[in-house]
Amino acid sequence: MNQPTPDTAAALINDPTPARVSELLTQIDARLDQAYSNFDRLNRDRIDCKPGCSHCCHRVVPAQIPDVIRVAEHIRSTFTEDQLAELKQRLNDYERAVAPNFGRDLHKLRPTCPLLVNNLCSVYEARPIRCRGIFSADANACEQAKLHPESKAFPALAERQQIAFAAWTNLEEGIKKGAKSGGAYDFGRALKIAIENPEAVQEWLAGEDSFGEAFATPPVQESPPAPVRPGQPKYLPGTEPTGRFDIAGLALPQYIMSREGNFQKALDLAQGDHPGYWLWQIRLPMTYSSEAEVLEWRDYYRKAIDRFKERKWDPREAYDGLAAYCPQSLSYQQFNNREILEELGALTFKITSEALPDLTAPIEGKRREGKIRVGYISRSLRHSSCSPWGLGWLKNHGPEFETYAFHMGDVVDRTTEQFRQAADHFYHLPPGQPVPNQAQLIRSQDLDALIFLDVGVNTGTAQFDALRLARVQCAAWGGPETTGLPTMDYYLSSELMEDPTGDEEYSEKLIRLPGIGVCFLREKLRPSTLFKSDFGLGDEPLYLSTQPPLKLAPQWDELYRRINEATGQPISFIDRKRTASQKVWDRMERNGVKIRLLPLLNIHDYFGLIKLADVVLDSPGWNGGITTIQTLTMGTPVVTLPTELKRGRHSLAMLQASNAPGLVARDIDDYVDLVANVDRRRSVVANIDPNGLYEDMRPVRALEDFLKSVLT
Ligand code: SF4
Ligand code: SF4
């Protein structure tokens, strides 16, 4: 069933209502029951299920939102007030039981389903699709699965499950066609939202992600990939480059580096007879044990560049190898990297221009008459911190502009849809296709300007960065610093972020757009309503850092230690286990910083945590960006200490724009005092006005004026 049946699609596309969704689910149930009845008739002797047997109701049920809507409607129409009050209590208990997992590894939990009453399902007729698929030949095995979740899964009759799976897939296709948020949700948590906040149902039907906090995150890969050593093909003379480098051989080193934090071991494993391996060696650890280690690896980095330059390589193979290259690790060292990035930019351009001379040549001649054609390109035109802010520029261009959006990533979500709808022309060019063909398609649009929203952030984009795809090419602040690329003409930044000497940081010509430089679109933040105890916290003040450990450079440990001393409290950090974080926590503890680690959260629980915080500590050297805006929007103060380079001045700009300059520290002493001194903070917090961060049209108009000035 790859296509939704007409009734499924229609119910979710054409003016959907809760009643229509319920009706749809009833129809799906009727079809399921029909399919099951044949199976059950033939297998009566094999089935052990009976009323009162309920081991399988002690688990997290994966459900789709239409399922949840139907059960909520059923409850509203059949439960008495007393039953509803009891259900609400059970929903609260359920949330307390699953909350510490924050949407992860839910298959390992055995909470009692909030709809189970006296060992019977209280919504049996309306129970979710997944529950309808669960039937077992062995109730004892079910009981063992309930008692031993770590080692045993619930048994199931595969044939019945397949029928339920087909119905699920069909519904999922309908959800996708109806442009709604799909996927598997924690049924209990989603039902709690639907019962307590009926508005969320209407919002979901209108295309919003209103059940996000109940999303059931799929399990992450826990074991390293098997080592692979594919033979790398050598091109025959005259063979066209494919723009694809088989990076299978780098999966294990990548895992070792990012998950285990063992950078040297990763380098030792990433050896091969192909320029892709040699380019991969030009990288740095993601985290450091000390300031001395930072300098040691910086020295290694320079030598790795020299080694690559001394080798002989086929430019087409080297170009394919750029697929695995990314300079972002350099930015975490928090130095001015202009000189190194220019060297790397020249190298990337040499490789690209020798492999694809036609796609790197300047675009000569006058621009075509008519509207100014401006494109936006990123691997992340989706929910991310890299580029969604670019939507405000694109969406608000005046009638003299014709807009293009190029999404180069494989993930497509609601943010991608917003770009698709806002742009006059939208192209999805996912990885895996020959890059030269994709580049040719972009260049053939005859763009006047192309804005690269996040150069140097994602692996896989380097093959595009040194191409000449438009008359004027700009980098923007999704990339943390200068690109160093000779093909990038301008860097679009913010007047509030750049200090007077900012121009010296960039190989591009620096353009200071007004305010924070972007037109940040208003978004509805949906903090979940968890309590401090759900996060394992007590009632003491919460000093929170939300930035990834990669940004916590060793030279700032002293600052955090002094905050411990001044407040008498540990600092809470979020432990992203996938980013070599343990090295940072070990280092901090060695340096006397008292830390408390919180798990990685889904976005809504993350917002909920921020709301509970007394103060959020911005990471000096490389600040938060969108996270600072979101934190201030929720009324939680962010304390920052601006440093010299732009990436250490994001929050300075945002605090100025939100009428909270009093949270900008002058020096380390002042930072510590701002965190510890509640009275001092209180007066500033009362005046925070996040409106200044949103929908500022001045940067859009200034961007347009700038483009007109260089194009006409
Ligand atoms: S699936 Fe297992 S626990 Fe559930 S009713 Fe059937 S036999 Fe009982
Ligand atoms: S919804 Fe009903 S059948 Fe499904 S787990 Fe809950 S109580 Fe059991």
Side-chain angles (χ1 to χ4, degrees):
M1 272 199 227
N2 290 328
Q3 288 294 321
T5 52
D7 51 354
T8 311
L12 292 161
I13 295 170
N14 303 329
D15 196 17
T17 62
R20 265 194 98 185
V21 170
S22 294
E23 203 181 300
L24 167 70
L25 265 294
T26 307
Q27 288 163 10
I28 292 174
D29 285 349
R31 285 203 294 270
L32 274 176
D33 288 343
Q34 176 67 39
Y36 289 148
S37 66
N38 294 336
F39 170 79
D40 293 352
R41 192 164 34 78
L42 296 171
N43 293 278
R44 195 160 289 136
D45 296 343
R46 286 172 64 201
I47 295 175
D48 215 3
C49 303
K50 51 182 160 303
C53 183
S54 64
H55 309 301
C56 58
C57 296
H58 296 268
R59 67 192 171 116
V60 175
V61 174
Q64 293 157 297
I65 297 304
D67 246 346
V68 175
I69 293 173
R70 194 267 290 264
V71 175
E73 287 290 290
H74 178 82
I75 288 168
R76 275 195 197 96
S77 61
T78 60
F79 276 35
T80 64
E81 277 192 20
D82 285 351
Q83 284 175 315
L84 192 59
E86 285 167 16
L87 172 63
K88 284 183 178 172
Q89 184 54 52
R90 290 198 300 276
L91 287 167
N92 280 336
D93 295 344
Y94 176 87
E95 185 161 73
R96 300 281 81 72
V98 297
N101 272 53
F102 301 111
R104 289 186 162 69
D105 295 330
L106 297 175
H107 59 287
K108 294 181 185 165
L109 300 183
R110 293 291 180 263
T112 303
C113 175
L115 294 170
L116 189 67
V117 179
N118 297 329
N119 284 327
L120 293 172
C121 177
S122 56
V123 293
Y124 189 75
E125 315 87 276
R127 69 198 188 284
I129 288 175
R130 280 293 174 95
C131 295
R132 288 171 191 270
I134 293 283
F135 258 53
S136 164
D138 186 352
N140 287 333
C142 294
E143 185 175 18
Q144 289 307 306
K146 180 177 90 175
L147 297 174
H148 306 289
E150 286 298 331
S151 56
K152 294 199 163 43
F154 283 106
L157 294 173
E159 302 92 324
R160 241 188 114 106
Q161 267 196 326
Q162 279 161 9
I163 296 169
F165 182 70
W168 175 290
T169 308
N170 178 266
L171 186 53
E172 192 65 26
E173 290 298 323
I175 291 169
K176 227 185 265 170
K177 279 217 152 168
K180 316 278 184 282
S181 297
Y185 289 76
D186 172 343
F187 173 61
R189 252 189 120 178
L191 183 65
K192 183 169 185 285
I193 296 170
I195 295 287
E196 290 179 353
N197 178 17
E199 212 180 79
V201 172
Q202 297 297 345
E203 288 168 349
W204 185 85
L205 291 171
E208 288 191 39
D209 177 26
S210 48
F211 286 88
E213 70 194 81
F215 191 75
T217 306
V220 292
Q221 183 188 4
E222 294 292 355
S223 53
V228 183
R229 286 252 180 260
Q232 295 301 332
K234 291 280 181 191
Y235 292 124
L236 295 171
T239 309
E240 287 304 310
T242 63
R244 267 186 288 182
F245 170 56
D246 182 357
I247 58 173
L250 292 168
L252 182 59
Q254 189 71 37
Y255 179 94
I256 300 283
M257 178 184 70
S258 56
R259 298 287 290 275
E260 296 181 6
N262 191 338
F263 185 61
Q264 185 59 60
K265 186 174 164 192
L267 289 180
D268 293 345
L269 283 166
Q271 305 287 339
D273 182 24
H274 188 282
Y277 287 100
W278 311 337
L279 281 166
W280 200 88
Q281 298 276 333
I282 305 175
R283 67 179 56 221
L284 288 163
M286 301 170 89
T287 52
Y288 297 94
S289 301
S290 65
E291 289 184 64
E293 197 196 7
V294 173
L295 297 178
E296 279 165 28
W297 283 112
R298 197 168 177 83
D299 187 45
Y300 159 84
Y301 196 75
R302 288 177 189 279
K303 287 179 179 149
I305 297 171
D306 290 343
R307 268 199 300 277
F308 185 87
K309 284 165 119 182
E310 285 160 12
R311 285 182 188 259
K312 288 208 175 341
W313 31 262
D314 180 321
R316 297 162 304 168
E317 289 175 352
Y319 181 73
D320 278 3
L322 284 176
Y325 162 78
C326 178
Q328 192 193 18
S329 52
L330 189 59
S331 301
Y332 290 116
Q333 290 204 330
Q334 303 194 3
F335 292 109
N336 181 344
N337 296 312
R338 176 174 172 177
E339 189 196 324
I340 301 181
L341 285 167
E342 283 182 346
E343 193 177 352
L344 286 168
L347 181 61
T348 309
F349 181 72
K350 178 175 163 56
I351 293 170
T352 309
S353 58
E354 287 181 17
L356 300 170
D358 292 352
L359 288 167
T360 45
I363 297 175
E364 308 284 3
K366 269 177 74 90
R367 66 173 288 270
R368 187 154 39 100
E369 286 296 308
K371 294 183 176 188
I372 292 176
R373 291 176 299 286
V374 57
Y376 292 83
I377 184 168
S378 166
R379 193 88 185 241
S380 304
L381 295 188
R382 61 176 173 81
H383 180 77
S384 73
S385 58
C386 297
S387 47
W389 49 265
L391 185 60
W393 285 342
L394 186 153
K395 200 172 176 172
N396 289 296
H397 279 308
E400 326 92 289
F401 286 79
E402 188 171 353
T403 55
Y404 294 71
F406 302 96
H407 176 40
M408 318 306 289
D410 42 8
V411 177
V412 171
D413 63 12
R414 210 172 133 253
T415 304
T416 317
E417 274 312 307
Q418 288 174 315
F419 273 97
R420 189 194 299 274
Q421 282 164 21
D424 296 317
H425 309 273
F426 178 90
Y427 294 90
H428 183 200
L429 305 172
Q433 302 300 314
V435 174
N437 295 1
Q438 294 178 325
Q440 189 59 53
L441 186 147
I442 299 172
R443 188 163 157 134
S444 70
Q445 306 304 310
D446 195 14
L447 295 175
D448 295 313
L450 183 59
I451 297 173
F452 292 70
L453 291 168
D454 49 2
V455 174
V457 170
N458 291 302
T459 300
T461 61
Q463 288 181 312
F464 286 91
D465 297 342
L467 296 169
R468 175 54 70 171
L469 301 175
R471 279 182 178 74
V472 168
Q473 299 196 150
C474 308
W477 67 259
E481 53 187 325
T482 185
T483 65
L485 289 156
T487 46
M488 220 51 81
D489 309 310
Y490 300 95
Y491 188 99
L492 305 175
S493 186
S494 136
E495 66 174 1
L496 293 176
M497 287 178 199
E498 299 292 347
D499 76 4
T501 62
D503 306 67
E504 289 161 24
E505 291 175 35
Y506 300 90
S507 58
E508 304 86 353
K509 186 167 176 6
L510 180 63
I511 305 299
R512 293 175 165 87
L513 298 175
I516 62 170
V518 298
C519 174
F520 200 72
L521 299 177
R522 234 170 254 283
E523 57 175 343
K524 193 163 185 176
L525 306 180
R526 300 174 182 281
S528 64
T529 51
L530 298 181
F531 303 110
K532 278 187 172 176
S533 56
D534 291 323
F535 297 92
L537 301 167
D539 287 336
E540 64 280 359
L542 174 56
Y543 301 102
L544 178 67
S545 166
T546 57
Q547 293 307 308
L550 315 181
K551 288 188 182 175
L552 306 173
Q555 65 264 38
W556 301 107
D557 287 358
E558 175 64 9
L559 169 70
Y560 296 114
R561 195 188 59 70
R562 287 191 48 197
I563 292 170
N564 290 147
E565 268 176 19
T567 62
Q569 295 295 331
I571 299 165
S572 296
F573 295 94
I574 295 178
D575 189 16
R576 295 159 170 84
K577 289 194 188 303
R578 276 180 284 171
T579 49
S581 45
Q582 193 54 46
K583 201 170 181 179
V584 174
W585 313 138
D586 291 347
R587 183 198 75 216
M588 284 187 151
E589 285 186 340
R590 262 199 324 276
N591 289 339
V593 184
K594 290 194 183 59
I595 61 173
R596 177 164 42 200
L597 298 181
L598 299 170
L600 190 60
L601 306 166
N602 71 49
I603 190 76
H604 306 274
D605 291 334
Y606 166 79
F607 290 153
L609 178 69
I610 287 175
K611 268 190 96 72
L612 293 168
D614 292 74
V615 57
V616 165
L617 314 181
D618 194 26
S619 45
W622 190 344
N623 299 166
I626 292 178
T627 48
T628 298
I629 294 178
Q630 292 166 333
T631 303
L632 293 170
T633 304
M634 286 186 286
T636 302
V638 178
V639 172
T640 195
L641 174 60
T643 51
E644 195 186 329
L645 305 173
K646 191 261 303 168
R647 61 190 182 282
R649 302 168 70 83
H650 296 167
S651 298
L652 162 73
M654 288 154 187
L655 287 166
Q656 286 176 328
S658 57
N659 195 35
L663 293 170
V664 179
R666 290 184 303 278
D667 51 30
I668 286 188
D669 291 341
D670 201 37
Y671 190 115
V672 174
D673 187 59
L674 268 169
V675 173
N677 188 337
V678 184
D679 293 334
R680 185 175 164 198
R681 251 189 1 251
R682 192 173 292 131
S683 60
V684 184
V685 172
N687 293 321
I688 293 178
D689 178 10
N691 288 316
L693 295 164
Y694 290 97
E695 320 258 335
D696 185 356
M697 291 300 150
R698 292 175 305 152
V700 189
R701 299 289 85 87
L703 173 58
E704 291 180 341
D705 290 345
F706 152 70
L707 289 175
K708 283 182 204 163
S709 73
V710 294
L711 285 164
T712 52

